[in-house]
Amino acid sequence: MGHEFDRDIAVTRVDETTFTAELGAGWDVGGAVNGGYLLATIGNALGQVAPGKPDPIVVSCFYLTAATAGPATIVTRTIRDGGSMATLAADLVQDGQPRITVTATYGDLSALPDDVRTTATAHELPPLEECVPSSMAPEEVRRMAPLMGRFDLRLDPAYAGWAVGEPSGNGIIQGWIRLVDEREPDPLSLLLMLDALPPVTFDLGMPGWAPTLELTAHVRGVPAPGWLRVRHETRNMARGMFEEDCVVWDSSDRLIAQSRQLARSPRSR
Amino acid sequence: MGHEFDRDIAVTRVDETTFTAELGAGWDVGGAVNGGYLLATIGNALGQVAPGKPDPIVVSCFYLTAATAGPATIVTRTIRDGGSMATLAADLVQDGQPRITVTATYGDLSALPDDVRTTATAHELPPLEECVPSSMAPEEVRRMAPLMGRFDLRLDPAYAGWAVGEPSGNGIIQGWIRLVDEREPDPLSLLLMLDALPPVTFDLGMPGWAPTLELTAHVRGVPAPGWLRVRHETRNMARGMFEEDCVVWDSSDRLIAQSRQLARSPRSR
């Protein structure tokens, strides 16, 4: 197990339905564990529950309270396992309290038919070398967000002005992303990538924490090796909440994963 | 109770967590009950579970097997009730089998702050009188889909050609919609409206049944009275599945509800 992502999402099966995990402090942002990392860890456990159905296809998760680095228990439940897909559930529990509750459809992505009729086109993104590496973030930011050290993230400079106090006001953040140790993407790491970037509200000049109420992820295939292109966007900030849509395109130009979350707006400055 | 929607989503509380419902045959399509109607019925039960939190804000539902008209039991569960929102769950059960499993965040939509910074613009739609009323559908279609009789639906003719064997190929269906007896919209009827139209695959020349795996709905406020504008679109049909996004705009020009579902593609003709 050479890659930190694999080490850190590892789960140990305790009995037929229960797994334990050790949540890594390297995935923290401001003292709470990143939601995408939690999703990948829970997703890893769920992949072992239904025989022949190792892959997440749809995952819906409700974030109840912040999870923190350290031991966690993942309690799974099979709602229905029939045909080519299974509907599964999981709670991630710390200190006797559920932190996240997940429902998911699992199947075998490699067994799906080959048809692709995608009409969406990938978002325009400057070449890698013209993007802003997140490693350029100030030391104090990287100390507050160890998560940033897990990725090689190159932000589109058109929507990265928030990092220097000049948000574009569009509600968009996009860039190139891969794991820092160049571990290749797979369905579980796609769950991470769908919720790895800062909230799009940064680009609206709202730098605070934006707690997610719910996030639904679709994983539409096994990603090709190489860099992923990721784009987050919000179009409906209203009534103290905003939706955030994310698309992930792989190196073979496939729209390989999508997510939408509803989050609470950061408190105004 | 003068309106059929209210009569048909009515639930009877049996004990603290359990409700019964009588699913109305008027909401059938091809012998199965419409998913949006089921969502509204379950949503009605969930609105009675957490004191002071009557309204759906996020609802995620996994469709396990088709539900049919007749008696159903809705078994609810409070996952967390704290602060201004509660996370709740429900299973709709028929003949001892769960048909749908739901997780939801409930709150009080009328108590949310007033800010609106929506950047999305409503889709272009011809005036009501230039759209195609669904009541013009052939008698045999309306017999197969009694659901159609529940709405006054006026389809944008640009994406209604599928009705006469000439689909536009865009993967879009949109129009004006209200309940046929002019019951005004509310948060529960928005849950219905998010999944009331035919699958967008009709507009791609694939007229078959497209079973939903999962649908997540966001209800972003109490809708203004009057007609709603609804648009469904798919952009990522691939590997035997497609996502379908829906937006609902109210008469005050607010993006009042959104949903995304992942469904199986209809079998090719």
Side-chain angles (χ1 to χ4, degrees):
Chain A
M1 299 258 287
H3 296 289
E4 61 181 14
F5 176 72
D6 298 292
R7 280 195 302 273
D8 288 354
I9 66 165
V11 294
T12 302
R13 193 165 196 160
V14 178
D15 60 33
E16 197 164 328
T17 57
T18 310
F19 298 78
T20 56
E22 185 72 27
L23 303 178
W27 304 89
D28 271 11
V29 183
V33 179
N34 167 257
Y37 164 65
L38 291 169
L39 198 50
T41 306
I42 297 168
N44 191 21
L46 286 175
Q48 300 173 40
V49 169
K53 287 134 187 162
D55 299 318
I57 294 174
V58 190
V59 183
S60 161
C61 48
F62 288 76
Y63 295 88
L64 307 171
T65 57
T68 51
T73 303
I74 299 166
V75 183
T76 69
R77 191 161 50 91
T78 299
I79 297 173
R80 182 169 185 270
D81 185 359
S84 59
M85 296 192 190
T87 307
L88 309 171
D91 291 321
L92 183 135
V93 179
Q94 288 188 308
D95 301 326
Q97 297 290 326
R99 306 293 191 192
I100 301 180
T101 189
V102 166
T103 316
T105 302
Y106 267 63
D108 182 352
L109 286 170
S110 63
L112 295 175
D114 284 332
D115 65 293
V116 176
R117 293 178 60 178
T118 302
T119 55
T121 51
H123 46 287
E124 303 252 334
L125 200 58
L128 200 56
E129 59 277 10
E130 293 174 21
C131 289
V132 184
S134 55
S135 55
M136 283 176 59
E139 174 61 29
E140 78 262 21
V141 171
R142 285 184 287 133
R143 203 160 38 226
M144 192 277 291
L147 174 72
M148 293 177 66
R150 308 282 72 73
F151 302 99
D152 188 349
L153 169 64
R154 314 289 180 93
L155 292 173
D156 182 344
Y159 308 105
W162 50 265
V164 291
E166 293 169 13
S168 84
N170 289 290
I172 294 171
I173 297 183
Q174 62 182 29
W176 300 85
I177 194 167
R178 65 179 179 189
L179 285 162
V180 70
D181 59 7
E182 301 185 28
R183 179 197 186 275
E184 294 295 357
D186 69 359
L188 285 179
S189 79
L190 290 177
L191 294 180
L192 166 68
M193 297 304 187
L194 286 166
D195 197 22
L197 268 58
V200 281
T201 38
F202 279 27
D203 188 54
L204 292 173
M206 307 171 82
W209 187 46
T212 303
L213 294 172
E214 192 268 352
L215 182 146
T216 304
H218 297 178
V219 178
R220 301 296 297 277
V222 177
W227 287 90
L228 299 169
R229 284 160 292 164
V230 62
R231 176 186 170 99
H232 290 256
E233 182 170 11
T234 185
R235 304 189 314 140
N236 195 17
M237 164 163 286
R239 315 293 307 269
M241 293 184 279
F242 66 103
E243 107 288 25
E244 181 171 329
D245 282 357
C246 177
V247 290
V248 179
W249 292 77
D250 73 6
S251 65
S252 73
D253 220 29
R254 289 267 311 282
L255 176 42
I256 202 72
Q258 291 167 274
S259 71
R260 176 175 289 166
Q261 60 177 280
L262 189 68
R264 288 183 197 252
S265 305
R267 289 175 193 279
S268 301
R269 287 186 293 181
Chain B
M1 299 259 285
H3 295 289
E4 62 180 15
F5 177 72
D6 297 292
R7 281 195 301 273
D8 287 355
I9 68 165
V11 295
T12 303
R13 194 165 193 160
V14 178
D15 60 35
E16 197 163 329
T17 56
T18 310
F19 298 78
T20 56
E22 185 70 27
L23 302 178
W27 305 88
D28 271 11
V29 183
V33 180
N34 167 257
Y37 163 64
L38 291 169
L39 199 50
T41 306
I42 297 167
N44 190 22
L46 286 174
Q48 301 173 38
V49 170
K53 286 134 188 163
D55 298 319
I57 293 174
V58 190
V59 182
S60 161
C61 50
F62 288 75
Y63 295 88
L64 308 171
T65 57
T68 50
T73 304
I74 299 167
V75 182
T76 69
R77 190 160 51 90
T78 299
I79 297 173
R80 182 170 185 269
D81 185 0
S84 59
M85 296 193 192
T87 307
L88 309 172
D91 291 321
L92 184 136
V93 179
Q94 287 188 308
D95 300 326
Q97 297 290 325
R99 305 293 191 194
I100 301 179
T101 188
V102 165
T103 316
T105 302
Y106 267 63
D108 182 351
L109 286 170
S110 62
L112 295 176
D114 284 332
D115 65 291
V116 176
R117 294 178 59 179
T118 303
T119 55
T121 49
H123 46 287
E124 303 252 334
L125 201 58
L128 200 56
E129 60 277 10
E130 293 175 20
C131 288
V132 184
S134 55
S135 55
M136 281 177 59
E139 172 62 29
E140 77 263 21
V141 171
R142 286 185 287 135
R143 202 159 40 225
M144 193 276 292
L147 174 72
M148 292 177 68
R150 308 280 75 70
F151 302 99
D152 188 349
L153 169 65
R154 313 288 180 94
L155 292 173
D156 183 344
Y159 308 106
W162 49 265
V164 290
E166 293 169 14
S168 86
N170 289 289
I172 294 171
I173 298 183
Q174 61 182 29
W176 302 85
I177 194 168
R178 65 179 179 188
L179 286 162
V180 70
D181 58 8
E182 299 185 30
R183 178 197 186 275
E184 294 294 357
D186 69 359
L188 286 179
S189 78
L190 290 176
L191 294 180
L192 166 68
M193 296 303 187
L194 287 165
D195 198 22
L197 268 56
V200 281
T201 38
F202 278 28
D203 188 54
L204 293 173
M206 306 171 82
W209 186 46
T212 303
L213 294 172
E214 193 267 352
L215 182 146
T216 304
H218 297 178
V219 178
R220 301 296 297 277
V222 177
W227 286 90
L228 299 168
R229 284 160 293 164
V230 61
R231 176 185 170 99
H232 290 257
E233 183 170 11
T234 185
R235 303 191 314 141
N236 194 17
M237 164 163 287
R239 315 292 308 269
M241 292 184 280
F242 66 102
E243 106 288 25
E244 181 171 330
D245 282 358
C246 178
V247 290
V248 179
W249 292 77
D250 74 5
S251 65
S252 73
D253 220 29
R254 290 265 312 282
L255 176 42
I256 203 71
Q258 291 166 274
S259 71
R260 175 176 290 167
Q261 60 176 278
L262 189 68
R264 289 184 196 249
S265 304
R267 289 177 193 279
S268 301
R269 287 186 295 180

mmCIF file of all heavy atoms in Angstrom, chain B residues 39-74:
data_model
loop_
_atom_site.group_PDB
_atom_site.id
_atom_site.type_symbol
_atom_site.label_atom_id
_atom_site.label_comp_id
_atom_site.label_asym_id
_atom_site.label_seq_id
_atom_site.Cartn_x
_atom_site.Cartn_y
_atom_site.Cartn_z
ATOM 1 N N LEU B 39 -43.056 10.974 -3.440
ATOM 2 C CA LEU B 39 -42.175 11.850 -2.682
ATOM 3 C C LEU B 39 -42.995 12.863 -1.870
ATOM 4 O O LEU B 39 -42.699 13.138 -0.700
ATOM 5 C CB LEU B 39 -41.254 12.567 -3.670
ATOM 6 C CG LEU B 39 -39.980 13.172 -3.138
ATOM 7 C CD1 LEU B 39 -39.203 12.200 -2.298
ATOM 8 C CD2 LEU B 39 -39.129 13.655 -4.318
ATOM 9 N N ALA B 40 -44.028 13.396 -2.485
ATOM 10 C CA ALA B 40 -44.880 14.363 -1.779
ATOM 11 C C ALA B 40 -45.624 13.703 -0.620
ATOM 12 O O ALA B 40 -45.796 14.305 0.449
ATOM 13 C CB ALA B 40 -45.863 15.000 -2.758
ATOM 14 N N THR B 41 -46.056 12.465 -0.827
ATOM 15 C CA THR B 41 -46.785 11.757 0.230
ATOM 16 C C THR B 41 -45.858 11.449 1.411
ATOM 17 O O THR B 41 -46.206 11.699 2.577
ATOM 18 C CB THR B 41 -47.396 10.453 -0.339
ATOM 19 O OG1 THR B 41 -48.194 10.772 -1.483
ATOM 20 C CG2 THR B 41 -48.239 9.740 0.700
ATOM 21 N N ILE B 42 -44.670 10.934 1.094
ATOM 22 C CA ILE B 42 -43.689 10.676 2.158
ATOM 23 C C ILE B 42 -43.309 12.004 2.826
ATOM 24 O O ILE B 42 -43.195 12.101 4.046
ATOM 25 C CB ILE B 42 -42.444 9.974 1.582
ATOM 26 C CG1 ILE B 42 -42.817 8.605 1.023
ATOM 27 C CG2 ILE B 42 -41.356 9.842 2.645
ATOM 28 C CD1 ILE B 42 -41.729 7.962 0.164
ATOM 29 N N GLY B 43 -43.121 13.037 1.987
ATOM 30 C CA GLY B 43 -42.765 14.355 2.510
ATOM 31 C C GLY B 43 -43.814 14.905 3.449
ATOM 32 O O GLY B 43 -43.496 15.607 4.411
ATOM 33 N N ASN B 44 -45.073 14.582 3.177
ATOM 34 C CA ASN B 44 -46.174 15.019 4.040
ATOM 35 C C ASN B 44 -46.052 14.371 5.427
ATOM 36 O O ASN B 44 -46.200 15.036 6.454
ATOM 37 C CB ASN B 44 -47.500 14.654 3.374
ATOM 38 C CG ASN B 44 -48.686 15.273 4.081
ATOM 39 O OD1 ASN B 44 -48.545 16.267 4.802
ATOM 40 N ND2 ASN B 44 -49.856 14.695 3.871
ATOM 41 N N ALA B 45 -45.757 13.064 5.444
ATOM 42 C CA ALA B 45 -45.567 12.385 6.731
ATOM 43 C C ALA B 45 -44.370 12.979 7.478
ATOM 44 O O ALA B 45 -44.449 13.278 8.676
ATOM 45 C CB ALA B 45 -45.368 10.879 6.501
ATOM 46 N N LEU B 46 -43.257 13.184 6.777
ATOM 47 C CA LEU B 46 -42.041 13.675 7.443
ATOM 48 C C LEU B 46 -42.242 15.071 8.032
ATOM 49 O O LEU B 46 -41.602 15.432 9.026
ATOM 50 C CB LEU B 46 -40.858 13.670 6.470
ATOM 51 C CG LEU B 46 -40.284 12.290 6.151
ATOM 52 C CD1 LEU B 46 -39.203 12.390 5.063
ATOM 53 C CD2 LEU B 46 -39.706 11.624 7.416
ATOM 54 N N GLY B 47 -43.134 15.848 7.441
ATOM 55 C CA GLY B 47 -43.395 17.188 7.950
ATOM 56 C C GLY B 47 -44.068 17.199 9.311
ATOM 57 O O GLY B 47 -44.134 18.244 9.963
ATOM 58 N N GLN B 48 -44.536 16.025 9.741
ATOM 59 C CA GLN B 48 -45.226 15.934 11.033
ATOM 60 C C GLN B 48 -44.351 15.310 12.108
ATOM 61 O O GLN B 48 -44.801 15.092 13.242
ATOM 62 C CB GLN B 48 -46.516 15.116 10.864
ATOM 63 C CG GLN B 48 -47.459 15.743 9.835
ATOM 64 C CD GLN B 48 -48.662 14.885 9.522
ATOM 65 O OE1 GLN B 48 -49.228 14.237 10.406
ATOM 66 N NE2 GLN B 48 -49.075 14.862 8.257
ATOM 67 N N VAL B 49 -43.101 15.040 11.777
ATOM 68 C CA VAL B 49 -42.244 14.281 12.693
ATOM 69 C C VAL B 49 -41.440 15.175 13.636
ATOM 70 O O VAL B 49 -41.326 14.895 14.832
ATOM 71 C CB VAL B 49 -41.300 13.357 11.888
ATOM 72 C CG1 VAL B 49 -40.231 12.750 12.773
ATOM 73 C CG2 VAL B 49 -42.108 12.259 11.187
ATOM 74 N N ALA B 50 -40.863 16.250 13.107
ATOM 75 C CA ALA B 50 -39.982 17.103 13.913
ATOM 76 C C ALA B 50 -40.705 18.417 14.231
ATOM 77 O O ALA B 50 -40.985 19.191 13.323
ATOM 78 C CB ALA B 50 -38.683 17.387 13.163
ATOM 79 N N PRO B 51 -41.018 18.659 15.494
ATOM 80 C CA PRO B 51 -41.782 19.856 15.857
ATOM 81 C C PRO B 51 -41.103 21.131 15.368
ATOM 82 O O PRO B 51 -39.892 21.307 15.523
ATOM 83 C CB PRO B 51 -41.800 19.803 17.392
ATOM 84 C CG PRO B 51 -41.583 18.363 17.730
ATOM 85 C CD PRO B 51 -40.698 17.815 16.647
ATOM 86 N N GLY B 52 -41.869 22.009 14.736
ATOM 87 C CA GLY B 52 -41.330 23.280 14.253
ATOM 88 C C GLY B 52 -40.546 23.174 12.964
ATOM 89 O O GLY B 52 -39.978 24.156 12.506
ATOM 90 N N LYS B 53 -40.475 21.972 12.385
ATOM 91 C CA LYS B 53 -39.749 21.769 11.133
ATOM 92 C C LYS B 53 -40.670 21.099 10.119
ATOM 93 O O LYS B 53 -40.511 19.913 9.798
ATOM 94 C CB LYS B 53 -38.503 20.917 11.378
ATOM 95 C CG LYS B 53 -37.399 21.711 12.092
ATOM 96 C CD LYS B 53 -36.780 20.964 13.231
ATOM 97 C CE LYS B 53 -35.843 21.849 14.027
ATOM 98 N NZ LYS B 53 -35.516 21.299 15.353
ATOM 99 N N PRO B 54 -41.629 21.843 9.601
ATOM 100 C CA PRO B 54 -42.659 21.239 8.736
ATOM 101 C C PRO B 54 -42.251 21.071 7.283
ATOM 102 O O PRO B 54 -42.939 20.354 6.547
ATOM 103 C CB PRO B 54 -43.812 22.260 8.832
ATOM 104 C CG PRO B 54 -43.117 23.579 9.031
ATOM 105 C CD PRO B 54 -41.890 23.270 9.876
ATOM 106 N N ASP B 55 -41.150 21.720 6.859
ATOM 107 C CA ASP B 55 -40.898 21.828 5.418
ATOM 108 C C ASP B 55 -39.691 21.026 4.947
ATOM 109 O O ASP B 55 -38.628 21.060 5.565
ATOM 110 C CB ASP B 55 -40.645 23.295 5.050
ATOM 111 C CG ASP B 55 -41.833 24.190 5.339
ATOM 112 O OD1 ASP B 55 -42.961 23.760 5.065
ATOM 113 O OD2 ASP B 55 -41.617 25.308 5.852
ATOM 114 N N PRO B 56 -39.825 20.379 3.779
ATOM 115 C CA PRO B 56 -38.675 19.714 3.171
ATOM 116 C C PRO B 56 -37.675 20.755 2.666
ATOM 117 O O PRO B 56 -38.066 21.758 2.072
ATOM 118 C CB PRO B 56 -39.285 18.961 1.989
ATOM 119 C CG PRO B 56 -40.530 19.728 1.646
ATOM 120 C CD PRO B 56 -41.026 20.298 2.951
ATOM 121 N N ILE B 57 -36.400 20.536 2.910
ATOM 122 C CA ILE B 57 -35.347 21.410 2.367
ATOM 123 C C ILE B 57 -34.475 20.615 1.402
ATOM 124 O O ILE B 57 -34.253 21.033 0.275
ATOM 125 C CB ILE B 57 -34.541 22.053 3.514
ATOM 126 C CG1 ILE B 57 -35.457 23.021 4.293
ATOM 127 C CG2 ILE B 57 -33.316 22.789 2.967
ATOM 128 C CD1 ILE B 57 -34.852 23.621 5.525
ATOM 129 N N VAL B 58 -33.992 19.466 1.845
ATOM 130 C CA VAL B 58 -33.335 18.509 0.942
ATOM 131 C C VAL B 58 -34.005 17.161 1.148
ATOM 132 O O VAL B 58 -34.163 16.741 2.300
ATOM 133 C CB VAL B 58 -31.842 18.293 1.265
ATOM 134 C CG1 VAL B 58 -31.173 17.500 0.149
ATOM 135 C CG2 VAL B 58 -31.122 19.581 1.528
ATOM 136 N N VAL B 59 -34.346 16.499 0.079
ATOM 137 C CA VAL B 59 -34.908 15.149 0.181
ATOM 138 C C VAL B 59 -34.176 14.271 -0.827
ATOM 139 O O VAL B 59 -34.148 14.580 -2.020
ATOM 140 C CB VAL B 59 -36.422 15.127 -0.125
ATOM 141 C CG1 VAL B 59 -36.976 13.723 0.039
ATOM 142 C CG2 VAL B 59 -37.179 16.106 0.770
ATOM 143 N N SER B 60 -33.573 13.200 -0.340
ATOM 144 C CA SER B 60 -32.924 12.225 -1.218
ATOM 145 C C SER B 60 -33.713 10.932 -1.161
ATOM 146 O O SER B 60 -33.972 10.406 -0.076
ATOM 147 C CB SER B 60 -31.484 11.979 -0.760
ATOM 148 O OG SER B 60 -31.005 10.760 -1.313
ATOM 149 N N CYS B 61 -34.121 10.419 -2.312
ATOM 150 C CA CYS B 61 -34.875 9.170 -2.278
ATOM 151 C C CYS B 61 -34.326 8.167 -3.268
ATOM 152 O O CYS B 61 -33.980 8.502 -4.392
ATOM 153 C CB CYS B 61 -36.351 9.395 -2.510
ATOM 154 S SG CYS B 61 -36.700 10.373 -3.917
ATOM 155 N N PHE B 62 -34.224 6.954 -2.799
ATOM 156 C CA PHE B 62 -33.816 5.820 -3.612
ATOM 157 C C PHE B 62 -35.059 4.985 -3.895
ATOM 158 O O PHE B 62 -35.755 4.568 -2.966
ATOM 159 C CB PHE B 62 -32.766 4.978 -2.872
ATOM 160 C CG PHE B 62 -31.420 5.646 -2.783
ATOM 161 C CD1 PHE B 62 -31.197 6.692 -1.905
ATOM 162 C CD2 PHE B 62 -30.362 5.224 -3.584
ATOM 163 C CE1 PHE B 62 -29.956 7.320 -1.825
ATOM 164 C CE2 PHE B 62 -29.117 5.836 -3.523
ATOM 165 C CZ PHE B 62 -28.907 6.894 -2.631
ATOM 166 N N TYR B 63 -35.315 4.746 -5.186
ATOM 167 C CA TYR B 63 -36.476 3.965 -5.606
ATOM 168 C C TYR B 63 -36.039 2.517 -5.734
ATOM 169 O O TYR B 63 -35.188 2.188 -6.563
ATOM 170 C CB TYR B 63 -37.023 4.522 -6.919
ATOM 171 C CG TYR B 63 -37.569 5.938 -6.754
ATOM 172 C CD1 TYR B 63 -36.749 7.054 -6.890
ATOM 173 C CD2 TYR B 63 -38.905 6.137 -6.409
ATOM 174 C CE1 TYR B 63 -37.254 8.346 -6.713
ATOM 175 C CE2 TYR B 63 -39.419 7.419 -6.229
ATOM 176 C CZ TYR B 63 -38.583 8.517 -6.380
ATOM 177 O OH TYR B 63 -39.066 9.798 -6.188
ATOM 178 N N LEU B 64 -36.593 1.657 -4.888
ATOM 179 C CA LEU B 64 -36.141 0.264 -4.825
ATOM 180 C C LEU B 64 -36.935 -0.609 -5.784
ATOM 181 O O LEU B 64 -36.365 -1.346 -6.582
ATOM 182 C CB LEU B 64 -36.276 -0.249 -3.393
ATOM 183 C CG LEU B 64 -35.604 0.644 -2.328
ATOM 184 C CD1 LEU B 64 -35.976 0.190 -0.929
ATOM 185 C CD2 LEU B 64 -34.092 0.639 -2.512
ATOM 186 N N THR B 65 -38.253 -0.549 -5.671
ATOM 187 C CA THR B 65 -39.122 -1.260 -6.602
ATOM 188 C C THR B 65 -40.361 -0.401 -6.806
ATOM 189 O O THR B 65 -40.633 0.495 -6.002
ATOM 190 C CB THR B 65 -39.570 -2.639 -6.057
ATOM 191 O OG1 THR B 65 -40.226 -2.440 -4.797
ATOM 192 C CG2 THR B 65 -38.402 -3.583 -5.881
ATOM 193 N N ALA B 66 -41.106 -0.663 -7.843
ATOM 194 C CA ALA B 66 -42.268 0.166 -8.159
ATOM 195 C C ALA B 66 -43.327 0.065 -7.065
ATOM 196 O O ALA B 66 -43.608 -1.015 -6.543
ATOM 197 C CB ALA B 66 -42.851 -0.262 -9.499
ATOM 198 N N ALA B 67 -43.906 1.213 -6.719
ATOM 199 C CA ALA B 67 -45.051 1.227 -5.793
ATOM 200 C C ALA B 67 -46.325 1.258 -6.627
ATOM 201 O O ALA B 67 -46.334 1.745 -7.755
ATOM 202 C CB ALA B 67 -44.976 2.443 -4.884
ATOM 203 N N THR B 68 -47.394 0.732 -6.048
ATOM 204 C CA THR B 68 -48.655 0.662 -6.781
ATOM 205 C C THR B 68 -49.765 1.325 -5.964
ATOM 206 O O THR B 68 -49.640 1.507 -4.747
ATOM 207 C CB THR B 68 -49.040 -0.811 -7.061
ATOM 208 O OG1 THR B 68 -48.953 -1.552 -5.841
ATOM 209 C CG2 THR B 68 -48.089 -1.433 -8.082
ATOM 210 N N ALA B 69 -50.835 1.695 -6.633
ATOM 211 C CA ALA B 69 -51.973 2.317 -5.951
ATOM 212 C C ALA B 69 -52.507 1.390 -4.865
ATOM 213 O O ALA B 69 -52.483 0.171 -5.008
ATOM 214 C CB ALA B 69 -53.061 2.643 -6.965
ATOM 215 N N GLY B 70 -52.969 1.997 -3.756
ATOM 216 C CA GLY B 70 -53.501 1.204 -2.652
ATOM 217 C C GLY B 70 -52.809 1.553 -1.356
ATOM 218 O O GLY B 70 -52.071 2.539 -1.279
ATOM 219 N N PRO B 71 -53.046 0.748 -0.321
ATOM 220 C CA PRO B 71 -52.504 1.093 1.001
ATOM 221 C C PRO B 71 -50.977 0.998 1.069
ATOM 222 O O PRO B 71 -50.371 0.143 0.429
ATOM 223 C CB PRO B 71 -53.161 0.074 1.937
ATOM 224 C CG PRO B 71 -53.738 -0.987 1.074
ATOM 225 C CD PRO B 71 -53.904 -0.443 -0.303
ATOM 226 N N ALA B 72 -50.394 1.896 1.837
ATOM 227 C CA ALA B 72 -48.951 1.898 2.062
ATOM 228 C C ALA B 72 -48.685 2.344 3.489
ATOM 229 O O ALA B 72 -49.502 3.053 4.080
ATOM 230 C CB ALA B 72 -48.260 2.840 1.086
ATOM 231 N N THR B 73 -47.564 1.911 4.017
ATOM 232 C CA THR B 73 -47.149 2.328 5.353
ATOM 233 C C THR B 73 -45.867 3.144 5.219
ATOM 234 O O THR B 73 -44.988 2.791 4.435
ATOM 235 C CB THR B 73 -46.899 1.089 6.245
ATOM 236 O OG1 THR B 73 -48.085 0.296 6.257
ATOM 237 C CG2 THR B 73 -46.538 1.492 7.669
ATOM 238 N N ILE B 74 -45.786 4.236 5.954
ATOM 239 C CA ILE B 74 -44.586 5.064 5.942
ATOM 240 C C ILE B 74 -43.980 5.025 7.336
ATOM 241 O O ILE B 74 -44.600 5.469 8.302
ATOM 242 C CB ILE B 74 -44.926 6.512 5.521
ATOM 243 C CG1 ILE B 74 -45.529 6.515 4.100
ATOM 244 C CG2 ILE B 74 -43.680 7.392 5.579
ATOM 245 C CD1 ILE B 74 -46.179 7.826 3.716
#
